[in-house]
Amino acid sequence: MTIDKSRSLFKKANEFIPGGVNSPVRAFKAVGGDPVFIKSAKGAYLFDEDGNKYIELINSWGPMILGHANEEIEEALRGAISSSFSFGAPTRKEVEMAELIASMVPSIEKVRMVNSGTEATMSAVRLARGFTSRNKIIKYEGCYHGHGDSFLIAAGSGVVTMGAPDSPGVTQGVANDTLTAPFNDLEATKELIDNNKDEIAAIILEPVVGNMGCVLPKEGFLEGLRKLCDDHGIILIFDEVMTGFRLAKGGAQEYFGVKPDLTTLGKIIGGGMPVGAYGGRADIMDYVSPSGPVYQAGTLSGNPMAMTAGLAMLNHLNNHPEVYTQLEATAKRITSGIQSNLDAMGLNYTINQIGSMFSLFFTDVKVTNFEEAKTSDTELFGKYFKGMLEKGIYLAPSQYESLFLSTSITDEIADQIVLANKEVLADILKQ
Ligand code: KE4
């Protein structure tokens, strides 16, 4: 497999773009080597600039749940393209989108469109702080909520100390208002609440984590957070940028039957176009400008072309809930095949799977939080990633990312993934 064109593009890209990419994870730094530059995609396949073909297991980090170049979405965009792209004025499609989201997501009564998951989470936290007149938030180690300052916080030592900035440019002032706890740890959460009485505006979490690799909530964790928030007047925010419309048409909150007060959305919501959203209880959302005092705005929010793609995507998912059964069956076919490969080789690596999200952790530890995820052998993962890429399987270029399936992945393609996994594991463990 040659990637000469990608290599020369990457060299050029580094002259004009920091790190040669517009989002860090794309640079393959966690796995080594140069990234391949994608030229086109169709269904379950990516095609790079050198003509290499890959089975796609990231799907743009979630959005392409119906596979690439989906006919329905393309048709909708073709139909809208001659009506101009953006007005900065209210449109019918935004009303249709808001009504559809409210009908699909159990806890959403009102919703505001934005342009990314980061905008959604930043806005939701500002809203929770404004609504409660409290400053602090609790997040969980290993959960990622976009690049907003309040989220780029390393865990503080001990349960009462403040977080520490996790990036230059984030001030200690901001970090002081973000407390962190281990994911799945209700006791640590309760301790933070007790040690910061009436100061906590919100708890924000990925209800199923994708950003430390796929990690599921323990039995009772989500329900426990719901009760803690009810008891202490804290806003519960489910960051469903990944899980929204992926685990079920109503996301993780439908899957687990736990309703947050606010939900943040992204990825699938835009059908591949740049869309984010935050929504929830009407009494809270009415606090958002211009109906309330919490300011938030955006030139391209609710953009007509993005709404067109998002409406086509969400209407399909809403009208075809059977896709979730199909996606789960495909995920189980792949993960049970990989488990058989591990068993045959006497390897006890950890697989976490839920719906159409899964991760293979190169550790024999059960992974329920970030500390446990970090016991993975990331060097071995790098070799595995490269081996799979050579065999035409495009994985997330980091151990700490979930994989995402699309409905374009047939049983035959699933079996190809399992076979490649077997051959690559055999190769890298021979070394
Ligand atoms: P964006 O601003 O990238 O649209 O969304 C931020 C975000 C918020 N919340 C969750 C749960 C997320 O997973 C994300 C973004 N996810 C990453 C994948 N780890 C996007 C890939 C990237 O950063 O390039």
Side-chain angles (χ1 to χ4, degrees), residues 151-217:
F151 309 121
L152 299 182
I153 306 296
S157 57
V159 288
V160 290
T161 50
M162 315 303 176
D166 205 13
S167 160
V170 175
T171 65
Q172 187 55 49
V174 167
N176 289 347
D177 286 334
T178 299
L179 305 168
T180 56
F183 187 71
N184 272 322
D185 191 333
L186 273 179
E187 271 318 301
T189 306
K190 197 174 174 322
E191 212 169 332
L192 283 177
I193 294 172
D194 293 344
N195 287 298
N196 296 272
K197 214 120 196 66
D198 301 333
E199 292 187 70
I200 295 171
I203 292 176
I204 183 168
L205 73 153
E206 297 176 60
V208 168
V209 189
N211 288 289
M212 52 173 122
C214 180
V215 173
L216 281 62

Side-chain angles (χ1 to χ4, degrees), residues 17-28 61 144:
I17 308 169
V21 291
N22 284 309
S23 198
V25 71
R26 303 176 189 173
F28 281 16
W61 303 95
Y144 175 69

Side-chain angles (χ1 to χ4, degrees), residues 272-329:
M273 299 285 269
V275 179
Y278 64 104
R281 283 172 28 198
D283 62 321
I284 303 176
M285 289 304 292
D286 282 340
Y287 246 65
V288 178
S289 174
S291 52
V294 177
Y295 195 71
Q296 182 270 312
T299 304
L300 293 173
S301 297
N303 169 274
M305 291 303 285
M307 293 298 100
T308 300
L311 278 166
M313 170 65 87
L314 297 192
N315 275 314
H316 182 95
L317 295 173
N318 197 35
N319 299 331
H320 299 279
E322 70 276 7
V323 302
Y324 296 104
T325 319
Q326 175 198 337
L327 285 163
E328 176 110 47

Side-chain angles (χ1 to χ4, degrees), residues 23 25 61 116-118 144-146 206 211 239 241-242 267 401:
S23 198
V25 71
W61 303 95
S116 70
T118 294
Y144 175 69
H145 303 293
E206 297 176 60
N211 288 289
D239 176 358
V241 167
M242 270 188 181
K267 297 181 192 282
E401 294 285 358

Side-chain angles (χ1 to χ4, degrees), residues 43 59 79 112 250 335 381:
N59 284 294
R112 167 65 59 86
T335 50
F381 176 83

